[in-house]
Amino acid sequence: MSSTFINSLYVFVLAGFIGFEVIRRVSPLLHTPLMSLTNALDAIVVVAAIIIAGRHESTLSTVLGAIAVTASFSNMIGGFLITDRMLRMFKLSRTKKL
């Protein structure tokens, strides 16, 4: 294995652990607004993953790019669904008060 692959794998695993720890420590009250704000970032990740998968540099990069497209697209759709649910909750509470 080349040193570039090992370095890239190290950065990927480290980013995964740091991301998991950051999200785990967010309070539940803040999780939904933060999730709705990250939808734009997920859209950027989808575009980057499509570019990586479309290059066909190696089989591994194509497979990892396809996995990244699937994961980021499902995360983006989940964020939109959570945001829609959150907005419906506010709309229902406002109509009950009137």
mmCIF file with all atom_site columns, all heavy atoms in Angstrom, residues 82-96:
data_model
loop_
_atom_site.group_PDB
_atom_site.id
_atom_site.type_symbol
_atom_site.label_atom_id
_atom_site.label_alt_id
_atom_site.label_comp_id
_atom_site.label_asym_id
_atom_site.label_entity_id
_atom_site.label_seq_id
_atom_site.pdbx_PDB_ins_code
_atom_site.Cartn_x
_atom_site.Cartn_y
_atom_site.Cartn_z
_atom_site.occupancy
_atom_site.B_iso_or_equiv
_atom_site.pdbx_formal_charge
_atom_site.auth_seq_id
_atom_site.auth_comp_id
_atom_site.auth_asym_id
_atom_site.auth_atom_id
_atom_site.pdbx_PDB_model_num
ATOM 1   N N   . ILE A 1 82 ? -36.311 16.250 8.614  1.00 0.00 ? 82 ILE A N   1
ATOM 2   C CA  . ILE A 1 82 ? -36.307 16.742 9.995  1.00 0.00 ? 82 ILE A CA  1
ATOM 3   C C   . ILE A 1 82 ? -36.679 18.220 10.036 1.00 0.00 ? 82 ILE A C   1
ATOM 4   O O   . ILE A 1 82 ? -37.452 18.660 10.895 1.00 0.00 ? 82 ILE A O   1
ATOM 5   C CB  . ILE A 1 82 ? -34.930 16.497 10.644 1.00 0.00 ? 82 ILE A CB  1
ATOM 6   C CG1 . ILE A 1 82 ? -34.758 15.013 10.928 1.00 0.00 ? 82 ILE A CG1 1
ATOM 7   C CG2 . ILE A 1 82 ? -34.776 17.294 11.933 1.00 0.00 ? 82 ILE A CG2 1
ATOM 8   C CD1 . ILE A 1 82 ? -33.383 14.639 11.393 1.00 0.00 ? 82 ILE A CD1 1
ATOM 9   N N   . THR A 1 83 ? -36.156 18.999 9.103  1.00 0.00 ? 83 THR A N   1
ATOM 10  C CA  . THR A 1 83 ? -36.488 20.425 9.056  1.00 0.00 ? 83 THR A CA  1
ATOM 11  C C   . THR A 1 83 ? -37.974 20.622 8.784  1.00 0.00 ? 83 THR A C   1
ATOM 12  O O   . THR A 1 83 ? -38.629 21.457 9.425  1.00 0.00 ? 83 THR A O   1
ATOM 13  C CB  . THR A 1 83 ? -35.662 21.127 7.962  1.00 0.00 ? 83 THR A CB  1
ATOM 14  O OG1 . THR A 1 83 ? -34.284 20.926 8.233  1.00 0.00 ? 83 THR A OG1 1
ATOM 15  C CG2 . THR A 1 83 ? -35.968 22.605 7.903  1.00 0.00 ? 83 THR A CG2 1
ATOM 16  N N   . ASP A 1 84 ? -38.522 19.838 7.860  1.00 0.00 ? 84 ASP A N   1
ATOM 17  C CA  . ASP A 1 84 ? -39.953 19.940 7.561  1.00 0.00 ? 84 ASP A CA  1
ATOM 18  C C   . ASP A 1 84 ? -40.788 19.580 8.786  1.00 0.00 ? 84 ASP A C   1
ATOM 19  O O   . ASP A 1 84 ? -41.767 20.262 9.102  1.00 0.00 ? 84 ASP A O   1
ATOM 20  C CB  . ASP A 1 84 ? -40.298 19.034 6.389  1.00 0.00 ? 84 ASP A CB  1
ATOM 21  C CG  . ASP A 1 84 ? -41.746 19.150 5.984  1.00 0.00 ? 84 ASP A CG  1
ATOM 22  O OD1 . ASP A 1 84 ? -42.194 20.293 5.736  1.00 0.00 ? 84 ASP A OD1 1
ATOM 23  O OD2 . ASP A 1 84 ? -42.427 18.104 5.925  1.00 0.00 ? 84 ASP A OD2 1
ATOM 24  N N   . ARG A 1 85 ? -40.394 18.548 9.485  1.00 0.00 ? 85 ARG A N   1
ATOM 25  C CA  . ARG A 1 85 ? -41.118 18.147 10.705 1.00 0.00 ? 85 ARG A CA  1
ATOM 26  C C   . ARG A 1 85 ? -41.047 19.237 11.768 1.00 0.00 ? 85 ARG A C   1
ATOM 27  O O   . ARG A 1 85 ? -42.040 19.545 12.436 1.00 0.00 ? 85 ARG A O   1
ATOM 28  C CB  . ARG A 1 85 ? -40.544 16.843 11.226 1.00 0.00 ? 85 ARG A CB  1
ATOM 29  C CG  . ARG A 1 85 ? -41.249 16.326 12.438 1.00 0.00 ? 85 ARG A CG  1
ATOM 30  C CD  . ARG A 1 85 ? -40.670 15.015 12.863 1.00 0.00 ? 85 ARG A CD  1
ATOM 31  N NE  . ARG A 1 85 ? -41.301 14.569 14.097 1.00 0.00 ? 85 ARG A NE  1
ATOM 32  C CZ  . ARG A 1 85 ? -40.872 13.596 14.828 1.00 0.00 ? 85 ARG A CZ  1
ATOM 33  N NH1 . ARG A 1 85 ? -39.804 12.916 14.453 1.00 0.00 ? 85 ARG A NH1 1
ATOM 34  N NH2 . ARG A 1 85 ? -41.480 13.255 15.932 1.00 0.00 ? 85 ARG A NH2 1
ATOM 35  N N   . MET A 1 86 ? -39.868 19.828 11.921 1.00 0.00 ? 86 MET A N   1
ATOM 36  C CA  . MET A 1 86 ? -39.697 20.895 12.906 1.00 0.00 ? 86 MET A CA  1
ATOM 37  C C   . MET A 1 86 ? -40.582 22.096 12.554 1.00 0.00 ? 86 MET A C   1
ATOM 38  O O   . MET A 1 86 ? -41.245 22.671 13.416 1.00 0.00 ? 86 MET A O   1
ATOM 39  C CB  . MET A 1 86 ? -38.232 21.331 12.964 1.00 0.00 ? 86 MET A CB  1
ATOM 40  C CG  . MET A 1 86 ? -37.947 22.423 13.968 1.00 0.00 ? 86 MET A CG  1
ATOM 41  S SD  . MET A 1 86 ? -36.215 22.897 14.014 1.00 0.00 ? 86 MET A SD  1
ATOM 42  C CE  . MET A 1 86 ? -35.981 23.551 12.396 1.00 0.00 ? 86 MET A CE  1
ATOM 43  N N   . LEU A 1 87 ? -40.625 22.465 11.282 1.00 0.00 ? 87 LEU A N   1
ATOM 44  C CA  . LEU A 1 87 ? -41.446 23.602 10.877 1.00 0.00 ? 87 LEU A CA  1
ATOM 45  C C   . LEU A 1 87 ? -42.937 23.312 11.042 1.00 0.00 ? 87 LEU A C   1
ATOM 46  O O   . LEU A 1 87 ? -43.706 24.204 11.412 1.00 0.00 ? 87 LEU A O   1
ATOM 47  C CB  . LEU A 1 87 ? -41.129 23.980 9.431  1.00 0.00 ? 87 LEU A CB  1
ATOM 48  C CG  . LEU A 1 87 ? -39.738 24.583 9.211  1.00 0.00 ? 87 LEU A CG  1
ATOM 49  C CD1 . LEU A 1 87 ? -39.483 24.792 7.731  1.00 0.00 ? 87 LEU A CD1 1
ATOM 50  C CD2 . LEU A 1 87 ? -39.575 25.866 9.987  1.00 0.00 ? 87 LEU A CD2 1
ATOM 51  N N   . ARG A 1 88 ? -43.347 22.069 10.794 1.00 0.00 ? 88 ARG A N   1
ATOM 52  C CA  . ARG A 1 88 ? -44.748 21.712 11.017 1.00 0.00 ? 88 ARG A CA  1
ATOM 53  C C   . ARG A 1 88 ? -45.115 21.781 12.498 1.00 0.00 ? 88 ARG A C   1
ATOM 54  O O   . ARG A 1 88 ? -46.229 22.158 12.846 1.00 0.00 ? 88 ARG A O   1
ATOM 55  C CB  . ARG A 1 88 ? -45.044 20.318 10.471 1.00 0.00 ? 88 ARG A CB  1
ATOM 56  C CG  . ARG A 1 88 ? -45.292 20.323 8.977  1.00 0.00 ? 88 ARG A CG  1
ATOM 57  C CD  . ARG A 1 88 ? -45.780 18.993 8.478  1.00 0.00 ? 88 ARG A CD  1
ATOM 58  N NE  . ARG A 1 88 ? -44.635 18.069 8.482  1.00 0.00 ? 88 ARG A NE  1
ATOM 59  C CZ  . ARG A 1 88 ? -44.699 16.790 8.819  1.00 0.00 ? 88 ARG A CZ  1
ATOM 60  N NH1 . ARG A 1 88 ? -45.829 16.249 9.173  1.00 0.00 ? 88 ARG A NH1 1
ATOM 61  N NH2 . ARG A 1 88 ? -43.628 16.034 8.784  1.00 0.00 ? 88 ARG A NH2 1
ATOM 62  N N   . MET A 1 89 ? -44.182 21.445 13.378 1.00 0.00 ? 89 MET A N   1
ATOM 63  C CA  . MET A 1 89 ? -44.452 21.523 14.818 1.00 0.00 ? 89 MET A CA  1
ATOM 64  C C   . MET A 1 89 ? -44.688 22.969 15.225 1.00 0.00 ? 89 MET A C   1
ATOM 65  O O   . MET A 1 89 ? -45.585 23.257 16.014 1.00 0.00 ? 89 MET A O   1
ATOM 66  C CB  . MET A 1 89 ? -43.285 20.927 15.617 1.00 0.00 ? 89 MET A CB  1
ATOM 67  C CG  . MET A 1 89 ? -43.223 19.433 15.560 1.00 0.00 ? 89 MET A CG  1
ATOM 68  S SD  . MET A 1 89 ? -41.725 18.700 16.273 1.00 0.00 ? 89 MET A SD  1
ATOM 69  C CE  . MET A 1 89 ? -41.429 19.647 17.705 1.00 0.00 ? 89 MET A CE  1
ATOM 70  N N   . PHE A 1 90 ? -43.902 23.894 14.690 1.00 0.00 ? 90 PHE A N   1
ATOM 71  C CA  . PHE A 1 90 ? -44.094 25.300 15.023 1.00 0.00 ? 90 PHE A CA  1
ATOM 72  C C   . PHE A 1 90 ? -45.400 25.831 14.438 1.00 0.00 ? 90 PHE A C   1
ATOM 73  O O   . PHE A 1 90 ? -46.082 26.633 15.054 1.00 0.00 ? 90 PHE A O   1
ATOM 74  C CB  . PHE A 1 90 ? -42.925 26.146 14.526 1.00 0.00 ? 90 PHE A CB  1
ATOM 75  C CG  . PHE A 1 90 ? -41.701 25.993 15.359 1.00 0.00 ? 90 PHE A CG  1
ATOM 76  C CD1 . PHE A 1 90 ? -40.504 25.576 14.789 1.00 0.00 ? 90 PHE A CD1 1
ATOM 77  C CD2 . PHE A 1 90 ? -41.714 26.260 16.709 1.00 0.00 ? 90 PHE A CD2 1
ATOM 78  C CE1 . PHE A 1 90 ? -39.364 25.432 15.545 1.00 0.00 ? 90 PHE A CE1 1
ATOM 79  C CE2 . PHE A 1 90 ? -40.587 26.126 17.480 1.00 0.00 ? 90 PHE A CE2 1
ATOM 80  C CZ  . PHE A 1 90 ? -39.413 25.708 16.897 1.00 0.00 ? 90 PHE A CZ  1
ATOM 81  N N   . LYS A 1 91 ? -45.753 25.367 13.251 1.00 0.00 ? 91 LYS A N   1
ATOM 82  C CA  . LYS A 1 91 ? -46.990 25.816 12.625 1.00 0.00 ? 91 LYS A CA  1
ATOM 83  C C   . LYS A 1 91 ? -48.195 25.331 13.423 1.00 0.00 ? 91 LYS A C   1
ATOM 84  O O   . LYS A 1 91 ? -49.154 26.068 13.633 1.00 0.00 ? 91 LYS A O   1
ATOM 85  C CB  . LYS A 1 91 ? -47.085 25.307 11.200 1.00 0.00 ? 91 LYS A CB  1
ATOM 86  C CG  . LYS A 1 91 ? -48.275 25.861 10.429 1.00 0.00 ? 91 LYS A CG  1
ATOM 87  C CD  . LYS A 1 91 ? -48.390 25.228 9.059  1.00 0.00 ? 91 LYS A CD  1
ATOM 88  C CE  . LYS A 1 91 ? -47.373 25.831 8.142  1.00 0.00 ? 91 LYS A CE  1
ATOM 89  N NZ  . LYS A 1 91 ? -47.502 25.345 6.758  1.00 0.00 ? 91 LYS A NZ  1
ATOM 90  N N   . LEU A 1 92 ? -48.179 24.105 13.917 1.00 0.00 ? 92 LEU A N   1
ATOM 91  C CA  . LEU A 1 92 ? -49.285 23.567 14.698 1.00 0.00 ? 92 LEU A CA  1
ATOM 92  C C   . LEU A 1 92 ? -49.439 24.303 16.039 1.00 0.00 ? 92 LEU A C   1
ATOM 93  O O   . LEU A 1 92 ? -50.542 24.582 16.466 1.00 0.00 ? 92 LEU A O   1
ATOM 94  C CB  . LEU A 1 92 ? -49.087 22.082 14.940 1.00 0.00 ? 92 LEU A CB  1
ATOM 95  C CG  . LEU A 1 92 ? -49.266 21.169 13.723 1.00 0.00 ? 92 LEU A CG  1
ATOM 96  C CD1 . LEU A 1 92 ? -48.949 19.725 14.093 1.00 0.00 ? 92 LEU A CD1 1
ATOM 97  C CD2 . LEU A 1 92 ? -50.671 21.272 13.195 1.00 0.00 ? 92 LEU A CD2 1
ATOM 98  N N   . SER A 1 93 ? -48.319 24.631 16.676 1.00 0.00 ? 93 SER A N   1
ATOM 99  C CA  . SER A 1 93 ? -48.410 25.313 17.967 1.00 0.00 ? 93 SER A CA  1
ATOM 100 C C   . SER A 1 93 ? -48.933 26.738 17.786 1.00 0.00 ? 93 SER A C   1
ATOM 101 O O   . SER A 1 93 ? -49.617 27.262 18.648 1.00 0.00 ? 93 SER A O   1
ATOM 102 C CB  . SER A 1 93 ? -47.056 25.322 18.667 1.00 0.00 ? 93 SER A CB  1
ATOM 103 O OG  . SER A 1 93 ? -46.132 26.101 17.957 1.00 0.00 ? 93 SER A OG  1
ATOM 104 N N   . ARG A 1 94 ? -48.632 27.367 16.678 1.00 0.00 ? 94 ARG A N   1
ATOM 105 C CA  . ARG A 1 94 ? -49.100 28.727 16.439 1.00 0.00 ? 94 ARG A CA  1
ATOM 106 C C   . ARG A 1 94 ? -50.605 28.750 16.167 1.00 0.00 ? 94 ARG A C   1
ATOM 107 O O   . ARG A 1 94 ? -51.323 29.615 16.622 1.00 0.00 ? 94 ARG A O   1
ATOM 108 C CB  . ARG A 1 94 ? -48.356 29.353 15.267 1.00 0.00 ? 94 ARG A CB  1
ATOM 109 C CG  . ARG A 1 94 ? -48.740 30.805 15.048 1.00 0.00 ? 94 ARG A CG  1
ATOM 110 C CD  . ARG A 1 94 ? -47.990 31.427 13.909 1.00 0.00 ? 94 ARG A CD  1
ATOM 111 N NE  . ARG A 1 94 ? -46.578 31.511 14.265 1.00 0.00 ? 94 ARG A NE  1
ATOM 112 C CZ  . ARG A 1 94 ? -45.626 31.785 13.400 1.00 0.00 ? 94 ARG A CZ  1
ATOM 113 N NH1 . ARG A 1 94 ? -45.918 32.003 12.142 1.00 0.00 ? 94 ARG A NH1 1
ATOM 114 N NH2 . ARG A 1 94 ? -44.373 31.869 13.785 1.00 0.00 ? 94 ARG A NH2 1
ATOM 115 N N   . THR A 1 95 ? -51.117 27.762 15.432 1.00 0.00 ? 95 THR A N   1
ATOM 116 C CA  . THR A 1 95 ? -52.545 27.749 15.141 1.00 0.00 ? 95 THR A CA  1
ATOM 117 C C   . THR A 1 95 ? -53.376 27.385 16.370 1.00 0.00 ? 95 THR A C   1
ATOM 118 O O   . THR A 1 95 ? -54.507 27.811 16.494 1.00 0.00 ? 95 THR A O   1
ATOM 119 C CB  . THR A 1 95 ? -52.861 26.754 13.999 1.00 0.00 ? 95 THR A CB  1
ATOM 120 O OG1 . THR A 1 95 ? -52.387 25.463 14.369 1.00 0.00 ? 95 THR A OG1 1
ATOM 121 C CG2 . THR A 1 95 ? -52.246 27.215 12.706 1.00 0.00 ? 95 THR A CG2 1
ATOM 122 N N   . LYS A 1 96 ? -52.820 26.610 17.302 1.00 0.00 ? 96 LYS A N   1
ATOM 123 C CA  . LYS A 1 96 ? -53.545 26.275 18.522 1.00 0.00 ? 96 LYS A CA  1
ATOM 124 C C   . LYS A 1 96 ? -53.701 27.477 19.440 1.00 0.00 ? 96 LYS A C   1
ATOM 125 O O   . LYS A 1 96 ? -54.687 27.614 20.143 1.00 0.00 ? 96 LYS A O   1
ATOM 126 C CB  . LYS A 1 96 ? -52.836 25.146 19.272 1.00 0.00 ? 96 LYS A CB  1
ATOM 127 C CG  . LYS A 1 96 ? -52.981 23.805 18.616 1.00 0.00 ? 96 LYS A CG  1
ATOM 128 C CD  . LYS A 1 96 ? -52.245 22.747 19.402 1.00 0.00 ? 96 LYS A CD  1
ATOM 129 C CE  . LYS A 1 96 ? -52.324 21.404 18.734 1.00 0.00 ? 96 LYS A CE  1
ATOM 130 N NZ  . LYS A 1 96 ? -51.559 20.387 19.469 1.00 0.00 ? 96 LYS A NZ  1
#
